[in-house]
Amino acid sequence: MPVLDRQHMPRQDPEKRRKNFEEVALGYSGEQAKKEASRCIQCKKPACIAGCPVEINIPAFIKCIDEDDMEGAVKELKSMNALPAICGRVCPQESQCEAVCVLGKKGEPVAIGRLERYTADWELGTKPIPEEKPEPTGKRVAVVGSGPASLTTAAELAKLGHSVTIFEALHKAGGVLVYGIPEFRLPKSIVLNEVKYVERLGVSIQYNSVVGKLDTLDELLEEFNAVFLGTGAGLPRFMDIDGENLSGVYSANEFLTRVNLMKAYQFPDYDTPIKRGQRVVVVGGGNVAMDSARCAVRLGAEEVTIIYRRGEEEMPARNEEIENAKEEGIKFKILSNPTRILGDESNWVKHIECLNMELCEPDESGRCRPEPKLGTEHLIDVDVVVIAIGTSPNPLIPMTSKGLKTTKWGTIVADENGITSKNGVFAGGDVVTGSATVISAMGAGKIAAKAINNFLNN
Amino acid sequence: MPFKILEKSQIVPTIHQIIIEAPKIARKARAGQFVILRIDESGERIPLTIADFDGENGTITIIFQEMGKTTKQLSKLQAGDSLLDFVGPLGNPSEIEQVGTVVCVGGGVGVAPIFPIARAHKEAGNRVLTIIGSRNTDLLLWEDKVRDVSDELYITTDDGSKGHHGFVTDILKQLLEGDEQISLVIAIGPPIMMRTVAGVTHPFGVKTMVSLNSIMVDGTGMCGSCRVLVGGETKFACVDGPEFNAHEVDFTLLMNRLMMYRTEEQLAEEKYECDREGCQC
């Protein structure tokens, strides 16, 4: 049987999408999905399952698509992953399941992510498949935060019959999925639908509840049998250079929160403003930097430049997002590092000074350290700067609880099962690992749910 | 779940008071903390310092001045209406200890948040001298409430329509020059007033705290919008503050950052007025 070429996913034309916040990737048609599904050779020992942090039975759900059993495909997916429409969009499949697909050895791997997305979106277009309600165990679990790690833990525990309450500081659930990842990459309606699914499993969500302030961790432990901390890594890092507090200099978190969560791109129909710069510089090379730059383009900037101190090869962003950014006209200034930011008379950012860098020989860790090339300082005209160089965990909860160990980077100390130093308290996702991916947070959430279940049953 | 407005009153034409049903927040709130609210789905999140809290009745009182679209819209709400979101208590409470004599300075709408701080200092056994000031007598708020929790109350108005003709800092200077040993000054008001207070107390070496009203989005340390420079270090007003040592605060930076969205604020306000009055522009 001939192996077909991998099906391309239709995308919005770059010229058009530069001007809107609608989703860039448009998803497979039914015909395309079937063709792509038929490429899977149904390996006896599938490597892809091990490549997935939440161990979806990938060949099984793809087989269902191939056999026109979409309901079966949904059930198969959801038995392992509560948030398939999200994962199908934002997972780095190229370095996980698809990286180990047998077909990838000679040609292109099966488009597992796109098929996951197709399956999840199929369900959104139909009536949700009803969930079987488990017997209530009478045990209560508090989940702090509502990002990918928390939603996963909550869903898994609810499926086991535990009563789960999520405490969310903001007014919407989803964490980084709603404040960080832009609409054009992950529509908020998709997140909302998956949050609703988690609620249908019996999870209740208390919004506007800042744990550490409204309730402390110790207070939650009086009311609940266990607590899961999935508060993410949301404290913005700055470079500690002159001019970083000038007006017009944003952390990526602020820039993206204004645009995504608060819908500043619809200002003044929405009240939250954002400065629409003409010349925007984004500092950093990860997905968050790409997201910020692509938002700036859509807000009408004439020129958007990504400044990254290493080479393009070293950029941590997904290739797909780097390509998308390039197609949308974003410039890349690699091997360049900001040294200071200068403002005008009203304290608004006007120039950013950069220094060229070069990559030296790899050191013991195997990483090339970028070294500055002296005397190459130069100014770039700019009216908005976005700093996207990473985040660290928020200290609010460790600060207000006794006996919760943290590392010097502010992450919570937890073992491989998410067990922390405090009895009854579990943690997972970015708050433990530092900034990582949605799917790895979900993987950690699943593992922690198992550990919590064991704890509750003993 | 929406948060119900139990009482709404107009203090002066542009300054309003609302009492909100928020039992959990009211039980937790302490002097010096703030809340963030959002009126409706398209609304922005704005921080407001808690003016009073009542744990028994489960209420939070806030006082605000009409400054832009959101505060104007807020002023139109009545008892029985609800706010979509109400988050708190945020920020660190004021440090309240028995230190001797404390001078509380409130300017404009800053009189309201200074009230619970003055009350807490009084309850902690301190002698509380309070100075409140406004542009004119009509804009002076909560005089009686503040008097009740103060050992002495001084009033100033810019136009001399009540109390001392001049600024709160005139009285503050007199008190500092007087015989009484002052251990702590705390000031809340417009940034320019707080900067002047810092300037007046500095030569006397008296510990001085100010509550900074930076622009915020989430209020939990996530966005970094509220960053202020204190003692040469970048701090987040939402989680490191809102109170800081006045002698170390970079007020110029604070004032510049407060101006960041002036154009957008004007646009939003004009649009709001237009929409309300149904004009066709």
Side-chain angles (χ1 to χ4, degrees):
Chain A
M1 192 180 80
V3 176
L4 304 163
D5 285 340
R6 181 172 157 122
Q7 294 292 305
H8 284 288
M9 180 149 58
R11 288 187 298 168
Q12 262 202 83
D13 176 65
E15 268 316 300
K16 208 175 132 201
R17 72 181 195 238
R18 290 183 89 228
K19 299 185 183 77
N20 68 52
F21 274 80
E22 284 151 37
E23 200 168 10
V24 166
L26 302 170
Y28 279 160
S29 65
E31 196 187 337
Q32 277 183 304
K34 268 203 78 167
K35 270 190 189 164
E36 187 60 34
S38 74
R39 292 182 67 223
C40 175
I41 58 168
Q42 297 289 320
C43 302
K44 285 273 176 299
K45 286 182 182 167
C48 51
I49 300 180
C52 170
V54 297
E55 295 172 342
I56 294 170
N57 188 340
I58 293 165
F61 96 83
I62 292 183
K63 189 158 185 252
C64 290
I65 302 176
D66 193 32
E67 292 173 350
D68 285 322
D69 175 16
M70 286 312 294
E71 203 162 304
V74 171
K75 281 186 176 157
E76 191 60 65
L77 256 184
K78 283 198 160 174
S79 71
M80 299 308 280
N81 180 355
L83 317 170
I86 293 167
C87 288
R89 285 169 167 82
V90 300
C91 266
Q93 292 97 10
E94 66 280 4
S95 58
Q96 296 176 342
C97 53
E98 293 179 17
V100 289
C101 173
V102 172
L103 292 194
K105 285 183 182 152
K106 283 188 179 161
E108 284 190 290
V110 174
I112 299 165
R114 293 170 186 181
L115 290 173
E116 181 181 26
R117 170 186 163 141
Y118 173 78
T119 306
D121 287 3
W122 176 87
E123 193 198 8
L124 295 181
T126 64
K127 258 180 143 172
I129 298 165
E131 291 297 324
E132 290 158 27
K133 283 265 179 297
E135 274 300 305
T137 62
K139 297 281 166 61
R140 304 186 68 205
V141 182
V143 170
V144 186
S146 65
S150 294
L151 287 173
T152 306
T153 309
E156 294 293 319
L157 291 170
K159 282 183 193 170
L160 295 168
H162 303 306
S163 161
V164 183
T165 306
I166 289 180
F167 292 85
E168 168 53 50
L170 292 168
H171 55 262
K172 279 215 170 71
V176 71
L177 306 169
V178 290
Y179 75 75
I181 303 178
E183 185 76 16
F184 54 81
R185 207 148 74 79
L186 178 64
K188 300 299 152 265
S189 57
I190 298 284
V191 181
L192 184 65
N193 261 306
E194 300 211 320
V195 168
K196 278 188 186 155
Y197 164 71
V198 174
E199 285 181 304
R200 279 203 305 280
L201 293 172
V203 173
S204 73
I205 307 180
Q206 290 200 9
Y207 294 94
N208 299 316
S209 300
V210 184
V211 173
K213 287 288 173 190
L214 193 59
D215 296 285
T216 62
L217 183 54
D218 295 303
E219 284 165 336
L220 288 182
L221 283 167
E222 285 168 20
E223 210 183 314
F224 294 88
N225 302 97
V227 178
F228 175 77
L229 302 174
T231 47
L235 195 74
R237 280 201 204 126
F238 290 93
M239 291 179 291
D240 215 7
I241 58 173
D242 276 355
E244 226 165 356
N245 293 325
L246 288 169
S247 300
V249 181
Y250 288 98
S251 72
N253 261 4
E254 181 187 358
F255 190 75
L256 292 173
T257 300
R258 284 180 181 272
V259 174
N260 300 324
L261 178 74
M262 305 309 296
K263 298 200 183 328
Y265 65 93
Q266 294 185 48
F267 179 87
D269 290 334
Y270 279 75
D271 294 341
T272 304
I274 185 100
K275 189 66 190 178
R276 290 171 179 253
Q278 290 306 306
R279 280 164 309 192
V280 179
V281 156
V282 178
V283 182
N287 288 323
V288 174
M290 300 302 140
D291 287 344
S292 304
R294 297 172 70 197
C295 282
V297 164
R298 285 160 175 79
L299 289 168
E302 278 166 19
E303 195 176 285
V304 180
T305 310
I306 283 181
I307 295 183
Y308 182 58
R309 65 193 186 125
R310 300 172 190 268
E312 199 178 309
E313 285 290 298
E314 284 78 22
M315 278 194 169
R318 294 181 69 188
N319 285 339
E320 187 180 323
E321 303 310 337
I322 295 174
E323 260 168 52
N324 278 332
K326 283 186 173 167
E327 279 179 14
E328 289 162 15
I330 289 155
K331 291 185 179 170
F332 283 68
K333 190 171 161 56
I334 55 160
L335 291 167
S336 182
N337 201 29
T339 42
R340 60 185 173 136
I341 306 171
L342 297 98
D344 64 13
E345 60 287 342
S346 62
N347 230 41
W348 197 277
V349 58
K350 198 167 196 277
H351 305 289
I352 181 163
E353 187 188 70
C354 292
L355 189 61
N356 294 344
M357 308 291 279
E358 59 189 341
L359 286 181
C360 61
E361 292 295 307
D363 60 14
E364 285 158 3
S365 73
R367 292 242 296 177
C368 303
R369 223 158 34 86
E371 293 283 351
K373 283 167 96 172
L374 295 176
T376 58
E377 290 92 344
H378 55 282
L379 293 180
I380 304 170
D381 292 345
V382 65
D383 51 17
V384 166
V385 172
V386 181
I387 314 279
I389 57 164
T391 52
S392 49
N394 191 309
L396 213 52
I397 292 172
M399 256 167 52
T400 53
S401 353
K402 281 190 199 117
L404 186 66
K405 269 194 199 150
T406 53
T407 66
K408 62 175 173 178
W409 300 279
T411 52
I412 293 174
V413 176
D415 73 2
E416 68 280 5
N417 292 312
I419 299 168
T420 72
S421 57
K422 198 172 164 83
N423 191 35
V425 179
F426 300 77
D430 286 4
V431 73
V432 171
T433 58
S435 308
T437 59
V438 168
I439 191 71
S440 59
M442 291 179 57
K446 278 192 88 156
I447 292 168
K450 272 184 202 151
I452 293 169
N453 189 47
N454 285 339
F455 173 79
L456 295 175
N457 291 332
N458 286 327
Chain B
M1 205 187 69
F3 293 82
K4 201 171 157 195
I5 297 175
L6 299 176
E7 271 182 63
K8 154 80 195 298
S9 50
Q10 186 175 319
I11 293 183
V12 301
T14 55
I15 299 177
H16 311 264
Q17 170 178 324
I18 54 180
I19 300 178
I20 294 143
E21 185 176 35
K24 224 175 151 182
I25 303 175
R27 275 201 304 275
K28 281 278 173 163
R30 295 291 173 267
Q33 291 188 293
F34 64 93
V35 288
I36 282 188
L37 64 83
R38 192 171 71 126
I39 299 173
D40 55 26
E41 191 46 46
S42 60
E44 61 182 335
R45 296 166 64 95
I46 60 159
L48 288 167
T49 312
I50 294 170
D52 202 358
F53 51 91
D54 183 336
E56 265 172 45
N57 289 316
T59 59
I60 296 280
T61 303
I62 53 171
I63 293 225
F64 61 93
Q65 186 160 23
E66 291 179 36
M67 302 280 280
K69 194 229 155 160
T70 302
T71 42
K72 278 199 170 161
Q73 194 186 355
L74 198 56
S75 75
K76 301 290 183 287
L77 298 180
Q78 299 302 334
D81 291 340
S82 290
L83 300 171
L84 190 55
D85 300 300
F86 198 65
V87 199
L90 297 169
N92 301 308
S94 297
E95 269 182 42
I96 307 288
E97 286 170 355
Q98 194 177 357
V99 290
T101 300
V102 178
V103 180
C104 295
V105 186
V109 279
V111 174
I114 208 77
F115 163 75
I117 296 174
R119 179 174 61 189
H121 277 297
K122 184 77 191 143
E123 283 167 359
N126 291 310
R127 186 167 141 80
V128 176
L129 314 179
T130 308
I131 312 167
I132 60 173
S134 62
R135 286 210 303 278
N136 58 54
T137 181
D138 294 337
L139 292 171
L140 199 68
L141 54 98
W142 276 17
E143 182 187 331
D144 292 337
K145 266 186 98 150
V146 176
R147 179 176 286 117
D148 283 348
V149 298
S150 308
D151 290 285
E152 283 173 26
L153 177 72
Y154 301 88
I155 293 169
T156 72
T157 49
D158 297 4
D159 68 351
S161 50
K162 187 160 196 177
H164 168 75
H165 185 177
F167 301 117
V168 286
T169 41
D170 302 339
I171 304 284
L172 178 62
K173 194 150 186 269
Q174 285 170 21
L175 292 175
L176 289 164
E177 282 166 348
D179 298 331
E180 190 163 351
Q181 176 70 35
I182 291 163
S183 311
L184 173 70
V185 173
I186 170 147
I188 307 181
I192 193 103
M193 181 208 97
M194 294 192 285
R195 183 171 71 178
T196 318
V197 165
V200 167
T201 61
H202 190 258
F204 295 90
V206 175
K207 183 181 174 186
T208 305
M209 300 299 287
V210 284
S211 178
L212 304 185
N213 56 335
S214 349
I215 294 174
M216 292 181 189
V217 184
D218 64 293
T220 64
M222 187 191 86
C223 82
S225 163
C226 65
R227 52 197 199 271
V228 289
L229 212 55
V230 182
E233 262 183 78
T234 297
K235 300 272 182 192
F236 292 173
C238 67
V239 289
D240 299 319
E243 286 177 19
F244 293 100
N245 180 344
H247 299 146
E248 294 187 342
V249 170
D250 182 337
F251 285 100
T252 311
L253 181 79
L254 175 72
M255 287 188 258
N256 280 325
R257 286 188 68 88
L258 285 171
M259 298 294 278
M260 243 176 109
Y261 294 108
R262 197 175 44 164
T263 320
E264 287 79 6
E265 281 159 9
Q266 277 168 355
L267 182 69
E269 197 180 337
E270 279 163 23
K271 184 178 178 291
Y272 176 66
E273 293 295 341
C274 268
D275 290 350
R276 271 174 47 81
E277 284 153 26
C279 80
Q280 301 297 312
C281 61

